């Protein structure tokens, strides 16, 4: 251990993560600001984590290894135990499956040294482990450098509830005896809410200060707490933390922040579960309603009014225990999908979601979709609902689809409609025209054969997933919408020897498995394409190679 006082202590919490721990610690060791202390706080791991941690500590005198006497089952205890031995005046926290960008400590420490702050926070990079895509967590909140005198200056920051994106002044935490609550999950939400409310001054820097690796489809045994939404205990934990936050706001005299905090719960926490409702059983939905409805009854009415109409509909259907309807409505979230049917009240002229006018005043307020202007919006922005009601294997690599289109506002003219299924593997588009015939007012149905052997793949093959869409034409305008698949049909897979000269592919047609549940087509090259051609194409596609090719081309010209 170094004899001088470090400027910053970075605590790396770990439990049974021997494989990723070295990556996390390495990201701290290569910080541009080197006068730091690194505490590896081990929640009593049972794998090779202790040996790995001791080896890392032997390699760098800045590293301290702390092992808890027993497993706590959460993040709070290992963070709190590390706080007890941390020697620096500024503190940061890192999970063992994530990383710090190289200038994270430097950027946040500079903000502290410019002004007396309770904490400084920065941007979080989210990295999908399944496809490598990068995005910024809550980008609008961290887009510019600014200093705030209290959370009241921007209550939207309740949405940025991560404790790991911040550097705290040790004096601030000690002054308020602010520690992570032990024995509960979603401890970050309570800790961050308290920190926001207790801080007199904090700063935001736009530089990335944290790399958050997200595995959205991890196996149940390895999924993070936030990705275990299929467990009813997970729902209970979220609601429990919300009640603790509410109690803190009341006790600290900050009830004026309730609407902002309640809106955050509806827009973020409840919304995460809402997107999963189509995949839940009736029994799960009933238990979910039992857990959330008593809490939803305590929220400030203004928080509901700030939600988009589609989300207000789902919340109200859950509150009314119209659980099958809630599942149907949830499949449209985020994708501009119409309800199957709407009902107009002949007395008021108001339009309501579903097959009847709601009987209660709260339901009439929330299920009123008149503001969506279903019957007057431009055709390209009209709301339709395209559901595949049947999927069967056809000859060769084809599938036969039965498509039902719901037009609740009666935007389509009477009679058969010309429709086109569009699918684009690579740069070229595949089109499958078919006809939708009227079944009854506002409902059409048609059948088509999707022959995947005719898909226009690139010569070097295609490795990826595409979601077919359906296009309608009315006079000079077109409308394109997603195709909702049956959620239970088994994947249909075929090996396709493409006639165009492209090497064989394994092609799978299946439901999406998450979100709205779109129809999904997956291509996987097999044989020589996968072993030789695609690796060569990937190398040629690297930016440096492309720049060199352009330079050679310009010289030759």
């Amino acid at each position: 251990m170094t004899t001088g006082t470090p400027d910053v202590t970075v605590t790396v919490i770990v439990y049974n993560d021997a494989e990723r721990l070295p990556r996390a610690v390495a990201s701290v060791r290569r910080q541009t600001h080197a006068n730091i202390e690194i505490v590896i706080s081990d929640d009593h791991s049972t794998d090779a984590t202790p040996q790995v941690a001791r080896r890392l500590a032997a390699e760098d005198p800045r590293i301290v290894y702390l092992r808890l006497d027993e497993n706590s089952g959460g993040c709070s205890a290992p963070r709190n135990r590390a706080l007890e031995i941390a020697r620096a005046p500024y503190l940061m926290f890192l999970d063992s499956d994530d990383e710090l960008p190289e200038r994270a400590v430097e950027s946040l420490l500079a903000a502290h040294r410019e002004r007396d702050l309770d904490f400084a926070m920065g941007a979080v990079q989210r990295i999908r482990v399944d496809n490598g895509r990068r995005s910024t967590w809550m980008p609008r909140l961290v887009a510019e450098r600014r200093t705030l005198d209290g959370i009241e200056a921007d209550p939207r920051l309740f949405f940025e509830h991560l404790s790991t994106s911040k550097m705290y002044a040790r004096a601030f935490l000690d002054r308020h005896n602010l520690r992570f609550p032990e024995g509960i999950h979603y401890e970050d939400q309570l800790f961050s809410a308290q920190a926001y409310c207790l801080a007199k001054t904090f700063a935001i820097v736009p530089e990335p200060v944290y790399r958050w690796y997200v595995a959205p489809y991890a196996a149940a045994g390895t999924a993070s707490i936030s990705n275990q939404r299929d467990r009813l205990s997970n729902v209970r934990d979220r609601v429990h933390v919300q009640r603790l936050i509410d109690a803190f706001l009341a006790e600290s005299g900050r009830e004026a922040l309730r609407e902002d905090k309640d809106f955050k719960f509806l827009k973020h926490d409840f919304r995460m579960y809402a997107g999963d409702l189509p995949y839940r059983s009736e029994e799960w939905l009933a238990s979910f309603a039992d857990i959330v409805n008593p809490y939803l009854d305590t929220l400030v009415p203004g928080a509901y009014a700030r939600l988009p109409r589609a989300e207000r509909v789902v919340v109200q259907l859950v509150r009314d225990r119209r659980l099958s309807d809630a599942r149907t409505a949830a499949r449209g979230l985020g994708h501009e999908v119409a309800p199957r049917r709407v009902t107009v009240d002949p007395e008021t002229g108001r339009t309501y979601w579903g097959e009847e006018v709601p009987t209660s005043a709260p339901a009439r307020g929330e299920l009123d979709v008149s503001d969506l202007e279903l019957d007057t919006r431009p055709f390209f922005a009209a709301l339709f609902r395209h559901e595949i009601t049947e999927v069967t294997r056809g000859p060769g690599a084809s599938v036969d689809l039965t498509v039902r289109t719901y037009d609740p506002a009666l935007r389509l003219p009477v009679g058969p409609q010309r429709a086109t299924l569009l699918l684009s593997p690579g740069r070229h588009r595949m089109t499958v025209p078919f006809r939708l015939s009227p079944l009854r007012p506002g409902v059409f149905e048609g059948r088509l054969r999707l022959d995947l052997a005719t898909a226009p793949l690139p010569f070097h093959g295609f490795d990826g997933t595409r979601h077919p869409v359906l296009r309608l034409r009315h006079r000079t305008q077109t409308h394109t919408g997603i195709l909702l698949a049956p959620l239970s049909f088994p994947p249909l897979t075929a090996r396709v020897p493409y006639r165009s000269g492209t090497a064989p592919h394994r092609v799978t047609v299946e439901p999406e498995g998450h979100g709205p549940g779109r129809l999904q087509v997956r291509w996987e090259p097999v044989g020589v394409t996968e072993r030789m051609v695609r690796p060569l194409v990937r190398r040629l596609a690297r930016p440096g190679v492309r720049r060199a090719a352009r330079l050679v081309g310009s010289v030759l010209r």
Side-chain angles (χ1 to χ4, degrees):
M1 182 183 297
T2 56
T3 56
T5 301
D7 295 322
V8 178
T9 295
V10 179
T11 294
V12 184
I13 63 168
V14 62
Y15 175 69
N16 283 357
D17 199 10
E19 182 178 351
R20 291 177 295 191
L21 177 63
R23 182 187 69 181
V25 173
S27 76
V28 187
R29 294 174 67 181
R30 60 173 173 261
Q31 289 296 300
T32 53
H33 186 92
N35 186 24
I36 57 178
E37 175 185 49
I38 307 169
V39 177
I40 301 175
S41 189
D42 177 8
D43 197 20
H44 202 80
S45 295
T46 57
D47 67 348
T49 292
Q51 296 93 314
V52 171
R54 292 188 181 99
R55 174 177 59 79
L56 293 170
E59 295 173 357
D60 192 328
R62 299 176 298 173
I63 299 177
V64 178
Y65 176 48
L66 170 67
R67 177 173 168 82
L68 274 64
D69 292 335
E70 59 183 19
N71 177 250
S72 71
C75 301
S76 295
R79 288 173 180 162
N80 289 339
R81 299 297 89 76
L83 270 168
E84 295 171 2
I85 67 168
R87 298 186 298 125
Y90 299 103
L91 308 170
M92 293 181 68
F93 301 97
L94 171 64
D95 294 344
S96 61
D97 54 345
D98 298 327
E99 292 181 286
L100 296 184
E102 291 185 3
R103 301 178 67 89
V105 171
E106 177 185 343
S107 299
L108 294 174
L109 185 59
H112 275 282
R113 288 177 169 174
E114 287 175 7
R115 184 170 174 179
D116 185 19
L117 303 173
D118 291 320
F119 64 84
M121 57 186 287
V124 175
Q125 292 179 331
R126 297 177 85 246
I127 304 173
R128 289 272 298 260
V129 299
D130 55 335
N131 55 29
R133 292 177 184 167
R134 299 191 174 210
S135 60
T136 300
W137 170 252
M138 302 295 170
R140 286 173 292 182
L141 301 180
V142 294
E144 58 183 1
R145 189 178 304 273
R146 52 194 176 123
T147 301
L148 294 85
D149 295 323
I151 184 64
E152 290 81 1
D154 190 354
R156 298 177 305 162
L157 286 165
F158 278 127
F159 279 87
E160 211 294 66
H161 54 241
L162 303 179
S163 66
T164 50
S165 60
K166 302 169 179 67
M167 179 185 287
Y168 306 90
R170 174 65 181 262
F172 164 65
L173 299 184
D174 290 346
R175 183 166 60 249
H176 297 285
N177 193 29
L178 186 54
R179 297 294 186 267
F180 291 91
E182 299 187 20
I184 63 173
H185 292 305
Y186 299 108
E187 70 292 327
D188 270 21
Q189 294 205 24
L190 177 57
F191 181 88
S192 294
Q194 293 173 328
Y196 279 129
C197 292
L198 294 171
K200 292 182 178 180
T201 306
F202 59 93
I204 298 173
V205 300
E207 291 83 10
V209 301
Y210 199 82
R211 292 196 186 112
W212 178 14
Y213 287 91
V214 180
Y217 312 125
T222 60
S224 65
I225 295 297
S226 60
N227 283 327
Q228 295 175 4
R229 297 189 299 272
D230 59 316
R231 301 182 182 181
L232 290 168
S233 60
N234 186 280
V235 184
R236 295 189 188 94
D237 288 339
R238 277 193 190 265
V239 171
H240 176 60
V241 164
Q242 297 306 310
R243 292 189 182 277
L244 292 177
I245 296 172
D246 296 342
F248 169 77
L249 293 177
E251 294 165 2
S252 60
R254 291 177 170 84
E255 289 184 299
L257 292 168
R258 267 299 300 266
E259 181 178 312
D260 294 288
K261 175 262 157 195
D262 288 350
F263 173 64
K264 180 265 177 186
F265 170 75
L266 290 170
K267 184 64 180 171
H268 176 76
D269 298 86
F270 185 92
R271 174 66 176 82
M272 294 178 73
Y273 294 108
D276 297 331
L277 295 184
Y279 302 90
R280 304 297 183 231
S281 67
E282 292 292 338
E283 293 77 14
W284 193 98
L285 289 171
S287 297
F288 175 74
D290 290 342
I291 296 168
V292 301
N293 281 352
Y295 183 66
L296 291 173
D297 291 340
T298 71
L299 303 190
V300 177
Y304 290 99
R306 293 163 63 175
L307 286 176
R309 178 60 64 179
E311 295 178 27
R312 293 174 69 175
V313 166
V314 175
V315 174
Q316 188 60 41
L317 292 172
V318 171
R319 297 182 74 183
D320 289 345
R321 302 191 72 88
R322 294 171 56 181
L323 303 179
S324 179
D325 286 341
R327 182 190 285 119
T328 299
R331 295 195 71 179
L333 292 177
H335 288 273
E336 295 291 304
V337 174
R340 290 173 178 168
R341 184 174 174 180
V342 296
T343 302
V344 177
D345 185 342
E347 296 183 4
T348 65
R350 307 301 293 179
T351 302
Y352 295 98
W353 193 100
E355 299 184 354
E356 59 185 18
V357 176
T359 56
S360 70
R364 285 195 296 273
E366 298 302 295
L367 300 180
D368 185 342
V369 295
S370 304
D371 55 354
L372 296 181
E373 300 178 330
L374 298 176
D375 55 346
T376 59
R377 55 171 54 201
F379 185 77
F380 69 86
L383 295 185
F384 299 104
R385 186 184 191 94
H386 308 300
E387 295 185 357
I388 299 172
T389 59
E390 185 178 2
V391 181
T392 56
R393 186 185 292 274
S398 67
V399 290
D400 294 328
L401 308 176
T402 301
V403 177
R404 181 169 296 179
T405 292
Y406 294 88
D407 174 23
L410 305 180
R411 299 297 303 275
L412 297 172
V414 176
Q417 307 296 317
R418 287 188 293 180
T420 305
L421 181 144
L422 306 177
L423 183 60
S424 302
R427 295 183 179 180
H428 299 287
R429 188 169 66 189
M430 177 182 185
T431 62
V432 184
F434 67 105
R435 187 172 72 169
L436 288 166
S437 300
L439 291 181
R440 55 184 179 273
V443 183
F444 299 80
E445 189 170 276
R447 290 181 61 83
L448 67 121
R449 173 162 291 171
L450 176 61
D451 187 356
L452 295 166
T454 65
L457 266 59
F459 171 75
H460 55 268
F462 179 70
D463 186 3
T465 299
R466 290 292 184 266
H467 302 97
V469 295
L470 191 148
R471 177 164 293 175
L472 299 172
R473 181 177 294 276
H474 178 53
R475 296 176 182 168
T476 60
Q477 290 189 315
T478 60
H479 179 279
T480 303
I482 65 172
L483 272 170
L484 301 177
L487 298 181
S488 58
F489 80 88
L492 304 176
T493 301
R495 181 184 172 98
V496 183
Y498 284 95
R499 295 187 294 271
S500 61
T502 304
H505 284 63
R506 184 182 300 107
V507 185
T508 301
V509 179
E510 60 191 353
E512 188 175 17
H514 56 89
R518 297 171 291 179
L519 184 69
Q520 177 170 286
V521 184
R522 283 191 294 118
W523 281 269
E524 301 170 273
V526 295
V528 68
T529 306
E530 177 62 13
R531 293 195 305 271
M532 299 176 60
V533 178
R534 287 199 59 78
L536 175 61
V537 170
R538 282 193 287 266
R539 286 196 295 271
L540 294 175
R542 292 174 181 169
V545 177
R546 289 201 302 268
R547 285 194 296 270
R550 285 196 296 268
L551 178 61
V552 170
S554 63
V555 170
L556 293 176
R557 284 196 298 271

